Amino acid sequence: MTAPVIQPVLKKFNILGDFISAEPYGNGHINDTFALVFNQGGTIVRYILQRINSGIFKNPIKLMENIVHVTRHINEKAKARGAEDVSRRVLTLVQALSGENFVCDQDGSVWRCYVFIENSKSWDIIETPQQAFEAAKAFGAFQCDLMDYNGPQLFETIPMFHHTRGRFAALQKAIQEDVKNRAVSVKTEIDFALSNEKLVNSLLSLQEKGIIPERITHNDTKLNNVLLDNKTGEGLCVLDLDTVMPGLSLYDFGDMVRTATNPVAEDELDLSKVVVQVPMFEAIAKGYLEGTAGTLLPVEREHLVISGKLLTFECGIRFLTDFLQGDTYFKIKREAHNLDRCRTQFALVKSLEEHEESLMGFVSALT
Ligand code: ADP
Ligand code: GN1
Ligand code: MG
C-alpha cells in the first residue's frame, strides 16, 4: 500500500512528532498491518497501524467497541495487580482527533492505531518449550482476567466462528459448487476431510448440552498473536483481539496445540516434517493451566487433547474451503497457498492422532 493512502489516515490520529516511515509489518492473514516510525522530540517512537478487513469483519465499529471494553478491563486489572509496565502488557489504542478510537478513510475502511510494544517479539514458529509455556500462560491469564468482565455485552464479530459443524457444512457447499473447478485436483484432501466428519461434534455436543461452559475467550490463539519479552522471555501481551467474544476455553487451547506442536511453518511443503512435538504440548498444557489459575473445570481438562485435533482439523477445512472458493478469505502469497496450508493441518491431525494416547496420559497426570 502506498504512502498516499496512509498519510491522510495518519493525520486523523492524535500522534505527535514528525512522521518518518510506514512499512508493512508482521505475518497476519487478515488485516493490513503497518509499523509507523515517528520522531518525537528526538526520540524514535513506533506505532502499529491497522486497516481492519471489512470483508471479514462486517461491523468494524462494533468490533472496535469490543476492543475498547476488553483492553480497558485488562488494563485496570493489571494496574490493580501493581504492574509497572501496563502499556507493555495490554494493547493501548491511540485516539483519533475526532475523539474516537478509530479513523474511517475515504473508501469507508476503518483503521486503528496501537502503541508499539517494543523489545518483544511474536513467534511464527515457537522454538523452545519455555516459549510455548510462556505464550500459553499469557493466553490463560488473558482468559482468567476476563472472567469477571461485567461491561457491555461483547459483540459477536464473526458469527459461529468456531462452529465446527457450520465449518464442515461450508466445506461441503464449496465442494458442491466448485466455483474454480479445483475439487478434482484435491480429491485426497476432500476425502480426508469428509471421512473425519464425526470429529466436528466432539466439543459442540458438550457445549450444546451445557457440559462445557461458555466463557469470554480469545478465539485466535495462534502463537504469533502473543508477544514474548525479548529480555525475560515472559509472555507479555496478547494481541489480535478482533475475535474476543463468547467461546470455549478449549477453542483457545486447541489453537495453541495447532501452532505450538507443529515444528515447521503453517505452509511448509515437506509434510514429513509435520510431526507433533510432545514437549511443546506438555509446555502449553502446563502454561495454560498455570495462566487459568485453577479455573478450568475437570471436563475442560479432559478434552485438552481432543481440542488440539479438532482445532487443527477446523483450520485445515477452512483453508481447503477457501482454496475451493478461490482464496477470498485468507491472504495468500502464492498459488495454492491455502492448499499447502490445508495439507500441513491435515498432516498434523494425523500426527496428533498417533500421539493421542501419550498426550492423554500426560494430561491426566497433571495436577
Ligand atoms: P492479523 O489480524 O492480520 O493477524 P495482528 O493484529 O495479529 O493482525 O497483527 C499482526 C502482527 O503485528 C502480530 O503478529 C505482531 O507481530 C504485530 N503486532 C500487532 N500489534 C502489535 C503491537 N502493539 N506491538 C508490536 N507488534 C504488534
Ligand atoms: C487467521 O489473523 P490471524 O492471521 O492471526 C484467522 C484464524 C486462523 C489463522 C490461521 C479472524 O489468524 O482464525 O486460525 O489465520 N483469523 C480469522 O493461521 O479468521
Ligand atoms: Mg494475528
Side-chain angles (χ1 to χ4, degrees), residues 17-299:
D18 315 311
F19 171 77
I20 298 179
S21 63
E23 298 292 339
Y25 193 79
N27 292 321
H29 291 344
I30 305 295
N31 297 307
D32 295 320
T33 303
F34 301 87
L36 308 178
V37 183
F38 277 76
N39 174 352
Q40 290 180 348
T43 299
I44 298 300
V45 176
R46 293 199 288 175
Y47 294 90
I48 287 282
L49 178 72
Q50 284 185 320
R51 180 167 63 173
I52 300 172
N53 186 329
S54 57
I56 290 176
F57 298 107
K58 305 293 184 203
N59 193 335
I61 295 186
K62 296 283 280 179
L63 178 156
M64 286 308 295
E65 285 174 16
N66 278 8
I67 293 187
V68 169
H69 299 318
V70 166
T71 52
R72 185 178 295 149
H73 183 81
I74 293 183
N75 184 301
E76 281 165 8
K77 293 207 76 152
K79 279 187 187 142
R81 270 197 293 269
E84 281 171 7
D85 49 357
V86 175
S87 66
R88 295 186 77 230
R89 293 181 183 275
V90 56
L91 286 170
T92 305
L93 282 163
V94 175
Q95 280 216 326
L97 295 174
S98 65
E100 287 168 317
N101 290 290
F102 57 86
V103 158
C104 281
D105 70 13
Q106 54 187 22
D107 304 325
S109 292
V110 174
W111 297 71
R112 65 178 164 225
C113 184
Y114 290 120
V115 167
F116 195 105
I117 298 172
E118 297 289 354
N119 304 313
S120 69
K121 181 173 155 68
S122 69
W123 296 76
D124 291 315
I125 304 173
I126 282 287
E127 289 179 353
T128 66
Q130 186 58 26
Q131 290 174 330
F133 174 87
E134 288 293 338
K137 187 175 152 193
F139 276 123
F142 177 85
Q143 189 198 293
C144 210
D145 270 349
L146 288 170
M147 281 186 77
D148 63 351
Y149 172 81
N150 59 3
Q153 195 180 349
L154 296 180
F155 169 73
E156 199 177 1
T157 56
I158 302 181
M160 297 172 74
F161 189 56
H162 283 303
H163 195 287
T164 38
R165 210 179 296 129
R167 294 288 185 190
F168 193 82
L171 171 65
Q172 287 174 310
K173 185 161 176 275
I175 297 168
Q176 202 195 1
E177 291 176 351
D178 196 17
V179 289
K180 295 282 169 184
N181 293 315
R182 289 177 169 179
V184 64
S185 65
V186 291
K187 192 172 174 317
T188 312
E189 289 73 20
I190 290 176
D191 287 348
F192 179 82
L194 298 182
S195 68
N196 277 286
E197 180 174 2
K198 63 176 186 319
L199 242 187
V200 303
N201 284 318
S202 47
L203 294 183
L204 268 185
S205 56
L206 296 170
Q207 181 182 10
E208 285 161 358
K209 288 182 200 140
I211 296 172
I212 297 187
E214 215 173 64
R215 304 174 180 277
I216 298 175
T217 47
H218 183 279
N219 293 304
D220 190 0
T221 51
K222 80 179 190 192
L223 292 193
N224 74 5
N225 285 331
V226 61
L227 293 171
L228 303 186
D229 189 294
N230 286 347
K231 216 158 136 193
T232 63
E234 183 194 5
L236 194 60
C237 182
V238 168
L239 307 172
D240 207 342
L241 307 180
D242 295 332
T243 51
V244 178
M245 54 186 171
L248 301 187
S249 60
L250 291 166
Y251 294 149
D252 281 2
F253 185 75
D255 210 52
M256 283 184 245
V257 176
R258 178 181 85 76
T259 47
T261 66
N262 178 8
V264 290
E266 193 177 64
D267 56 3
E268 170 64 48
L269 294 172
D270 182 353
L271 297 181
S272 70
K273 295 181 178 158
V274 183
V275 176
V276 169
Q277 304 296 294
V278 174
M280 294 295 190
F281 179 90
E282 296 176 354
I284 56 167
K286 282 188 192 152
Y288 195 56
L289 289 185
E290 188 161 322
T292 49
T295 58
L296 285 193
L297 301 177
V299 66

